[in-house]
Amino acid sequence: DVKVTQSSRYLVKRTGEKVFLECVQDMDHENMFWYRQDPGLGLRLIYFSYDVKMKEKGDIPEGYSVSREKKERFSLILESASTNQTSMYLCASSSPSQGMSTDTQYFGPGTRLTVL
Amino acid sequence: AQKVTQAQTEISVVEKEDVTLDCVYETRDTTYYLFWYKQPPSGELVFLIRRNSFDEQNEISGRYSWNFQKSTSSFNFTITASQVVDSAVYFCALSEAITGTASKLTFGTGTRLQVTL
């Protein structure tokens, strides 16, 4: 089974703090993703990475950055946390099927971040 | 731009009832994939099914079935004889290729299903 783990299930931080959310997958997947989930808005893509040290902006990258130094690990960084970044953060990974972008994304358990 | 609409915000049924979750999508792509995910109270999204745009055959997996109709841009999900363990938020999603080997998912806003005894 695909296993995607996230470093924390719940996190409470203060405004202005630097926050690191870690995601690790054990299936040697090339692609990794960070989403945030908010009530009534579904999941929205923040950033994704299709290779080590490669990153691309998603739909809502403002206020976030990412790091992918190793294939299995994808970190989401909030440089200066703000209250509007209080949300559920979900990491996912996928691997292209037969060299095509027909990948199924597998998700971690999520991190519920509260910024006070 | 791609769009997925799940008009039903919340559905409540009594155990053993059948329930259908609606999903309508918009895309200009001729090749695309549709997904359903389940999010139980624990929070993790669980993959249920992937369907490509060339395969309109309905799929059944145990108590779950999916009806894909390209003519109406719909990909509906039916649970037969619902059980309390089916209580969750269900998301429909549409893929869009962003590189040659990676795709982006556009999610609907989800339907919360509550199954009671």
Side-chain angles (χ1 to χ4, degrees):
Chain A
D1 279 353
V2 176
K3 189 71 174 178
V4 180
T5 57
Q6 296 183 227
S7 49
S8 306
R9 292 301 304 271
Y10 299 93
L11 209 53
V12 179
K13 294 292 181 181
R14 296 203 174 275
T15 302
E17 279 193 76
K18 190 168 186 176
V19 182
F20 292 87
L21 303 182
E22 305 284 343
C23 175
V24 177
Q25 49 93 6
D26 66 357
M27 286 303 292
D28 201 36
H29 282 175
E30 288 82 355
N31 305 321
M32 295 189 76
F33 307 81
W34 274 106
Y35 293 87
R36 65 176 281 175
Q37 180 182 1
D38 299 289
L41 296 177
L43 278 75
R44 295 177 291 167
L45 181 64
I46 304 171
Y47 266 96
F48 69 95
S49 168
Y50 53 87
D51 202 351
V52 176
K53 297 192 186 294
M54 303 300 290
K55 60 184 179 184
E56 293 287 342
K57 293 179 180 179
D59 298 321
I60 51 165
E62 297 78 19
Y64 303 95
S65 62
V66 290
S67 172
R68 193 165 181 202
E69 296 296 319
K70 293 184 178 181
K71 190 175 186 180
E72 68 271 17
R73 188 180 297 269
F74 192 36
S75 303
L76 180 69
I77 304 156
L78 287 65
E79 294 289 341
S80 177
S82 63
T83 54
N84 63 12
Q85 293 178 310
T86 292
S87 185
M88 170 75 115
Y89 290 88
L90 290 154
C91 174
S93 72
S94 70
S95 186
S97 303
Q98 301 170 339
M100 299 173 65
S101 61
T102 58
D103 47 330
T104 295
Q105 293 184 24
Y106 296 92
F107 285 80
T111 296
R112 190 166 293 281
L113 172 68
T114 301
V115 182
L116 302 175
Chain B
Q2 306 209 123
K3 187 177 179 182
V4 175
T5 301
Q6 293 180 257
Q8 303 150 309
T9 306
E10 198 159 337
I11 301 175
S12 290
V13 299
V14 177
E15 203 175 39
K16 297 183 185 173
E17 282 186 25
D18 298 347
V19 58
T20 295
L21 310 182
D22 298 333
C23 173
V24 174
Y25 63 92
E26 296 174 29
T27 181
R28 292 182 182 174
D29 294 345
T30 53
T31 301
Y32 51 89
Y33 286 77
L34 292 158
F35 299 79
W36 276 95
Y37 285 87
K38 174 182 179 180
Q39 187 178 42
S42 59
E44 180 174 346
L45 261 73
V46 177
F47 165 70
L48 295 178
I49 190 171
R50 181 182 79 182
R51 210 87 184 120
N52 77 54
S53 52
F54 295 109
D55 185 0
E56 289 194 66
Q57 202 167 11
N58 290 337
E59 174 132 356
I60 298 174
S61 176
R63 296 183 297 106
Y64 294 173
S65 62
W66 290 270
N67 179 253
F68 176 30
Q69 299 227 348
K70 214 167 178 179
S71 59
T72 56
S73 297
S74 65
F75 185 43
N76 296 336
F77 173 30
T78 297
I79 301 174
T80 303
S82 61
Q83 300 176 1
V84 172
V85 293
D86 296 326
S87 297
V89 180
Y90 291 87
F91 289 95
C92 180
L94 171 66
S95 72
E96 171 188 0
I98 44 180
T99 71
T101 56
S103 60
K104 163 189 166 182
L105 292 179
T106 298
F107 283 86
T109 51
T111 297
R112 181 178 298 277
L113 175 64
Q114 186 73 37
V115 182
T116 55
L117 294 171

